[in-house]
Amino acid sequence: MTDTPTPALRVDPGGRIGVSMTVNGTAISTDVEVRRTLADVLRDDLDLTGTHVGCEHGVCGACTVAVDGQPVRACLLLAVQVDGTEITTIEGLANPDGSLGPLQQAFHDAHGFQCAFCAPGVLITTASLLETNPTPTRDEIKAELSGNLCRCTGYHSIIESVETAVRLTAAGAKSTDGGDEEASNA
Amino acid sequence: MKMPTFTYHRPATVAEALAVLASEDDAKILAGGQSLIPLMAMRIGQPEHLVDIGRLDELDYIERRDDHIAVGALTRHAAAEDSALVQTGAPLLAAALGHVGHRAIRTRGTVCGSLAHADPAAELPAVALATGATFIARSTAGEREIPAADFFQGYLDTALEPNEMLAEVRFPLWPDRAGAAVVELSRRHGDYALVGLAAAIDLDDAGTIGGAALAFFGVGSLAVRIAEAEESLLDKTPGAEAFAAAGRIVTETIDAVGDNHGSAAYRNHIAGVLTTRGLAEAFDSIGDRV
Amino acid sequence: MRESLAGSFVGTSVKRVEDERLLTGAGSYIGDLKVEGMAHAAFLRSPYAHATIERINAAAAQRLPGVIDIITGEEMQAITNPFVPLGMIDGLYTPLFWPLAIDRVRMVGDPIAIVIAESRYIAEDAIQLIEVDYEPLPTVANMAEATRAGAEQIWPRADGNVMFRTEADYGDVDAVFASADRVISETFESHRHSNQPMETRGSLAEVTPDEVIFHSAAQNSHGLRWVLAMATSSEPVLDSVKELAGPGRDKLKAFGAGAKAFITERKDDLGDADNKGFIHQVRHDPTTLKHLGKVFMNVLAQDERRRPRVVADDIGGAFGVKGHPGREDAALLAAALKLNRSIKWIEDRNEHLTVGGMAREETLSVQVAVNDDGELLGLKVDMTMDQGAYPAVPFGAATFAGIMRVMMPGTYRFKAYSMKAAAIASNKAKYVAYRGPWANETWVRERMLDVVARELGLSPTELRLRNMYGVDELPTKMLTGPTLDVRMSAKATLEKAIEVAGIDDFRAAQAKARENGHLLGIGFSTYHEGAPGPPDYADAILPGSGAMMAEPLTTVLEADGTVSVITAQMPHGQSHETTLAQVAADQLGVAMDQVRVIFGDTAKTDFSLLGTGGSRGGPMGGGATLFAARGLRDRILDEAADMLEANRGDLEITDGAIHVAGVPSISKSFAEVAEVVRTRPGSTEPLTGSVEYDGGPGGWVQATHVAFVDIDIETGFVTIPRYVVVEDCGELINPAIVEGQVRGGVAQGVGAVFYEKSAYDDDANFQAGTFMDYLIPTAMEIPDIEIHHLETPSDIEANFRGVGEGGMIGSPAALTNAVEDALAHLGVRITEQHLPPTRILELAGVIAPA
């Protein structure tokens, strides 16, 4: 063996490293311990607590965020791995004035959630789905959302919400704030 | 469930990555991290060094070469899933990828990472076995080729040496008159399979079966091929009768291991059911290709 | 946001008030909280199911930079009290235990030490450095082992491993059984599974110079507060005792209505029954008396700082598990008080799966006396419950056995009934409340009715119709005591379900599908649930307990003219901020955005022992809101009458404007009324309307579920092509929210039957510590669920009944009945609740049993 090249970067245990990323449109640079996950950095360091941690082993999907437009599990990524990327979280789906964005509005209109702990992952997964497939079938919605566990709803209202979003997008219509007067008693 | 400490390496070149593997004991490659990170968070695996190859774009490729499709160490599942080269040149791999976890896993997880992790319930090791893929292991000492049959050695155990990186995997180019199917049963959508099958079948000029590969996953500590069943198909007319006969052989031969999600008898049984179903699906896919 | 014009919110699917924050990531869940100087805790837990602790060496861990303190069992014992039993029931012995294991671990995951560190990462590093020497003991992994002669005894003062025994007879059981044409017997087993909300448990003990605030994802902040106060109270100083005994009665007052309910009212009401429970407990463990006395004296006399203020905010689901204060909560508070520092603990998923709480592990032997024509005569049930190692706080298996005893006969005309129940200890995690904690009464009864029908050659629906109380027989009383009032419509839900199910068409499809290797099945189940139940319901379960069931609620006209609804309910997904506001807005004639629902903070809300649980949100929370808001309306109108110089009786409120009927142009707003009240010389207290709502006539919620299954006989996989719920919960406050509750409950039933199991091996090692082993169903596994609402007309005000639990009460029976229907031609009888693919094929005879 000849000369051993020096690794470009080496950080000892417990060491920190600078990470730069664009989160919900805002450029952020922060120092993080290399072992910290993206989920923990978003929540604890950047105070973006809308992203939730439900299992920390990649199954429940609550921590799903979009990295460069692709849905990923923020609990299965180290923050150092996303240096230089663009990240969208549930906070980034709202309108600039803080009001409900179109997807959030659809989930509001269709009574999508109950406890809403799964909401960050469901919303980001749905946003990613609709970007690549703006008119998914009900089966496609179910399959895509099968990586996001919800314990409250039985999923029906979530699927209805996605369908509502699809309809609203298709109609280019903006939801109104009027009460929902649908008949309920059979 | 928080990650333990480790020394973090972010090499700028493949050579630098290999140098770290050569110089440090207990170093692991971090590519997608979809299996490694949870194991570490549960503190089941605690490597002292992580070598993050996420910046080594030269390892992110899918190439069609003379007789194979090559997939680099950093190629994500999602990229392979969307690749036309994979769909035409390695249809069994293409068929498997949709079964791997959920989209949010496939956007980060890598094909080579999944193979190097060697989970016996995962799809890709079985695909590699069924297709006779070749593994390219690279170290500072050079490169060696490992045939799939030798690569997988036990539960989460492969022929890779600690100083080696799985740099590439090569799937032989798919023959024309051949069909592919990956069928599996998992408790829930997206779970590891209770039992799965990567099935390949090719026809000779007479239209009878010229060759078959049946690689099962989720049945024990390794993905396995069932040679007795594969041989039973040779020269047979493809169809329900031959497929069912192969299925019966599989059930009798496979000797699966049971756990809380499915007993041994259950897995033996559905391995046979999947054989019948997988062969039929593989056979049907030939029509699409010829 | 302004919902439609006021006056008509109840009955419409008003969109959720909660969404504005929850859909934008602005919620405030326990894990989101951060306070100044906050440290983080993690627990070292036992890898053994049963062992003695020989030695603990935490020196290396203590030296790790960033570690603040490590507290092990002995030190914790010195700074805390054992959990003293609050529900002393005859036949129940509750062992005393502390927040941490001291010299013996009794389950995998038993907490041994709490590590406090600057970060959770460091706390977990430190845990790996603590050395513990264990001496393994024989384990008790299941009910059969627990009661085997010579079994290892988990609690030295218990009778073997039997912690609870009870027995009750109704009617002349022997005579009725002797008179029957035949007696049909079967034994049913339901498996351990668990609540698993998407948010785990978690708490933050915030220590400030003025007070200790215990933030927690708790379904009942007041209950948690008093359990914590008791667990961490220390010896009162002499001055405190003097003060207590002296003229200042403030502290006694501060003890609150709940303590009063506990001590005073129970003493008056309970008589012999209560003493028996007390005597049983003290006979088994005389130190109970010492600890009880000490704990209560301490709590009364102690420094206010030691009685934390408990604050709960957004909660990511609970389904019962967060109604139980955790040993971890007490350890966390004790550590925070010791260190005078704020500490947060967020349970991770592995911990939650392993020790967070599990439910429903019960074996029930059932005998039904029946005539050949299908007339049900008698019922005998013998139940054993596996309550795990440590009883849940404050109530556990024994309490739920009482509800099962009362509800077991359902709405059928049995002439006699007896129930025996026992709860045993095992080396497993605690048995907690899970969405309808008594639900196995429905599962077993409705499963058994299908068995009986099949033996008699009747259809399951025919047998049910023949024996169920119809409306013409009401009111009547259940054999076990509670009144079935004229709104009890279980039979109507069954009749409607039969109508929509299309049984004849189904039978034709079933025959046809068999040719293709698909076995179709249909299953019915009918139940009624005391949510809230009639006035005589609670006392039938536990004499005197009715006194504890009242729901306090206060409405306040705030200075800005808005109305606060201050409730002891603790929403965790049920959308109380919307539904209670709907009720209040209708009563007050204002818009939704003029009402704000306040909850969760013991400094703001009235005492309630119960919080949210038992499907109380709609009936008790809604009813209390209705009457409290009406009281406030009266006071507002009194004030406005003076202001408008009008007759009180002539006033009405239109969209927030108070005016003489027919003269809307001259009006006063709520803000103007509030201003007059606020600036009045003398009293400046705002107008309020308060109630301690007892539920009024109460009543039952009832439903029939119909499950359709499709079994692939090659693989044992089951799909659910159709699922129907016909329910009557009285008046719907918000149909979309009701339907969400129903569907969510059914989904958990689907999970229980086909996917979820808190599996242990034969040595009580836990086998399902990840979400790859504990299988929560996904969107792909849960069927579309069709809901039909019935409403029995009534002029009762606040005719709301609860729907939180019902989905899960009805579904396991409907699903397992459907599976049996699909496999019946193979001679299969389903006696277990958990039916994964392996078991389906074993039952069908396709593969050999493991």
Side-chain angles (χ1 to χ4, degrees), chain C residues 432-586:
Chain C
V432 299
Y434 180 21
R435 202 168 199 164
W438 56 90
N440 274 339
E441 52 79 28
T442 289
W443 178 59
V444 159
R445 179 189 64 245
E446 297 297 308
R447 183 78 281 283
M448 187 66 185
L449 288 178
D450 274 25
V451 168
V452 170
R454 212 151 259 128
E455 288 222 355
L456 297 178
L458 296 170
S459 85
T461 49
E462 198 181 338
L463 180 72
R464 285 175 172 80
L465 287 172
R466 186 175 297 188
N467 289 284
M468 204 178 281
Y469 287 113
V471 69
D472 51 327
E473 295 162 279
L474 302 177
T476 186
K477 273 182 181 293
M478 292 179 72
L479 206 49
T480 50
T483 299
L484 299 174
D485 68 284
V486 295
R487 292 168 298 154
M488 200 292 291
S489 62
K491 193 170 186 179
T493 67
L494 175 60
E495 286 163 345
K496 173 78 176 172
I498 291 168
E499 178 194 322
V500 299
I503 297 175
D504 292 345
D505 290 348
F506 169 78
R507 291 292 173 210
Q510 183 181 41
K512 195 158 177 229
R514 266 184 210 160
E515 296 162 17
N516 304 320
H518 279 259
L519 306 184
L520 307 186
I522 185 172
F524 286 77
S525 103
T526 303
Y527 68 90
H528 73 315
E529 178 195 356
D536 51 8
Y537 175 59
D539 286 343
I541 296 164
L542 186 64
S545 64
M548 297 189 295
M549 296 293 151
E551 182 74 22
L553 192 134
T554 298
T555 52
V556 181
L557 177 63
E558 304 289 359
D560 61 358
T562 61
V563 173
S564 295
V565 174
I566 304 169
T567 177
Q569 285 286 312
M570 186 54 235
H572 45 284
Q574 300 89 346
S575 321
H576 292 68
E577 288 171 77
T578 305
T579 52
L580 299 192
Q582 285 177 260
V583 174
D586 274 3

Side-chain angles (χ1 to χ4, degrees), chain A residues 92-97 99-110 123 126-127 130 161-162 164-170 172-175, chain C residues 23-24:
Chain A
L93 298 177
N95 291 330
D97 66 356
S99 63
L100 298 182
L103 187 59
Q104 292 162 329
Q105 185 67 45
F107 275 78
H108 178 58
D109 290 352
L123 288 170
T126 304
L130 297 184
S161 298
V162 179
T164 301
V166 169
R167 272 198 306 276
L168 289 178
T169 310
K174 210 175 169 311
S175 164
Chain C
L23 289 173
T24 54

Side-chain angles (χ1 to χ4, degrees), chain C residues 354-439:
Chain C
T354 308
V355 300
M358 303 168 186
R360 304 236 210 284
E361 187 176 14
E362 287 142 19
T363 299
L364 298 102
S365 294
V366 185
Q367 290 179 277
V368 170
V370 61
N371 281 340
D372 287 340
D373 65 359
E375 184 189 8
L376 295 173
L377 301 172
L379 176 65
K380 286 187 198 172
V381 178
D382 188 347
M383 171 171 74
T384 309
M385 316 166 91
D386 183 339
Q387 71 171 30
Y390 297 89
V393 177
F395 308 115
T399 303
F400 305 128
I403 308 179
M404 286 191 215
R405 168 177 49 78
V406 171
M407 297 304 293
M408 186 69 71
T411 57
Y412 301 94
R413 283 181 230 98
F414 287 103
K415 292 178 168 46
Y417 158 58
S418 74
M419 175 144 178
K420 280 200 246 180
I424 61 94
S426 68
N427 292 121
K428 294 187 286 196
K430 66 186 175 190
Y431 175 115
V432 299
Y434 180 21
R435 202 168 199 164
W438 56 90

Side-chain angles (χ1 to χ4, degrees), chain A residues 1 3 11 15-16 22 29 34 49 54 60 87 90-91 94 99-100 123 125-126 154 176:
Chain A
M1 224 186 310
D3 297 51
V11 183
R16 302 174 77 85
T22 302
S29 289
V34 287
T49 53
C60 81
I87 292 171
I90 183 174
E91 288 94 343
S99 63
L100 298 182
L123 288 170
T125 301
T126 304
T176 64

Side-chain angles (χ1 to χ4, degrees), chain B residues 92-245:
Chain B
L92 195 61
L93 175 61
L97 286 164
H99 291 285
V100 177
H102 299 95
R103 183 90 189 158
I105 299 291
R106 301 197 293 272
T107 54
R108 294 302 302 189
T110 61
V111 171
C112 284
S114 177
L115 290 166
H117 184 58
D119 192 305
E123 293 82 2
L124 299 193
V127 169
L129 274 185
T131 55
T134 301
F135 292 75
I136 308 302
R138 205 176 289 166
S139 70
T140 50
E143 204 173 89
R144 66 181 177 124
E145 296 186 5
I146 309 169
D150 299 336
F151 184 78
F152 301 103
Q153 301 208 325
Y155 180 72
L156 306 186
D157 189 20
T158 70
L160 286 176
E161 296 296 333
N163 64 342
E164 286 180 319
M165 170 200 294
L166 175 57
E168 181 180 297
V169 61
R170 296 172 183 167
F171 296 93
L173 274 188
W174 199 252
D176 279 346
R177 288 173 62 78
V182 172
V183 288
E184 66 175 53
L185 286 172
S186 56
R187 291 291 303 277
R188 294 171 305 181
H189 187 77
D191 279 345
Y192 277 119
L194 283 167
V195 175
L197 164 65
I201 180 173
D202 62 72
L203 305 183
D204 54 26
D205 293 341
T208 54
I209 298 171
L214 299 170
F216 293 87
F217 47 102
V219 292
S221 60
L222 280 171
V224 291
R225 284 178 67 165
I226 303 297
E228 296 89 332
E230 292 173 355
E231 285 157 16
S232 79
L233 291 159
L234 293 180
D235 303 325
K236 297 273 165 45
T237 303
E241 195 183 329
F243 299 160

Side-chain angles (χ1 to χ4, degrees), chain A residues 33 35-37 40 43-57 59-60 62 90-94 98-101 104-105 107-120 123 138-139 141-157 159 175-186, chain C residues 1-4 11-17 19-20 22-27 29 31-32 34 119 121-122 125 194-200 315-317 319 344 348-350 353 434-435 572-575 732 734-737 739-741 743-745 747-748 751 756 769-772 774 776-780 782-785 788-789 791:
Chain A
E33 193 186 340
R35 63 166 158 168
R36 287 173 65 82
T37 62
D40 286 346
R43 289 175 48 76
D44 299 341
D45 299 2
L46 305 180
D47 286 332
L48 290 169
T49 53
T51 296
H52 296 158
V53 171
C55 76
E56 294 183 285
H57 54 279
V59 181
C60 81
I90 183 174
E91 288 94 343
L93 298 177
S99 63
L100 298 182
Q104 292 162 329
Q105 185 67 45
F107 275 78
H108 178 58
D109 290 352
H111 278 264
F113 296 112
Q114 293 175 26
C115 85
F117 197 80
C118 69
L123 288 170
R138 201 172 170 89
D139 284 345
I141 294 167
K142 284 186 182 181
E144 192 72 13
L145 285 173
S146 68
N148 293 82
L149 300 181
C150 166
R151 193 60 160 161
C152 292
T153 63
Y155 303 102
H156 178 89
S157 57
I159 295 158
S175 164
T176 64
D177 277 346
D180 186 345
E181 303 296 336
E182 79 184 28
S184 52
N185 283 358
Chain C
M1 192 196 69
R2 199 170 180 86
E3 284 287 354
S4 62
T12 63
S13 294
V14 173
K15 287 182 241 168
R16 299 209 314 164
V17 173
D19 281 349
E20 195 169 321
L22 299 185
L23 289 173
T24 54
Y29 298 87
D32 303 341
K34 246 191 216 176
S119 78
Y121 285 79
I122 295 170
D125 294 344
S194 73
N195 316 49
Q196 296 305 315
M198 295 319 299
E199 175 198 54
T200 57
I315 296 179
F319 315 109
K344 179 157 98 171
D348 68 31
R349 183 58 61 180
N350 175 247
L353 283 161
Y434 180 21
R435 202 168 199 164
H572 45 284
Q574 300 89 346
S575 321
L732 303 172
N734 186 315
I737 287 169
E739 291 179 0
Q741 290 293 317
R743 291 199 171 94
Q748 286 178 324
E756 301 173 33
T770 75
F771 269 168
M772 293 191 292
Y774 191 87
I776 307 274
T778 79
M780 293 290 276
I782 300 302
D784 287 338
I785 295 156
H788 302 263
H789 297 291
E791 184 181 335

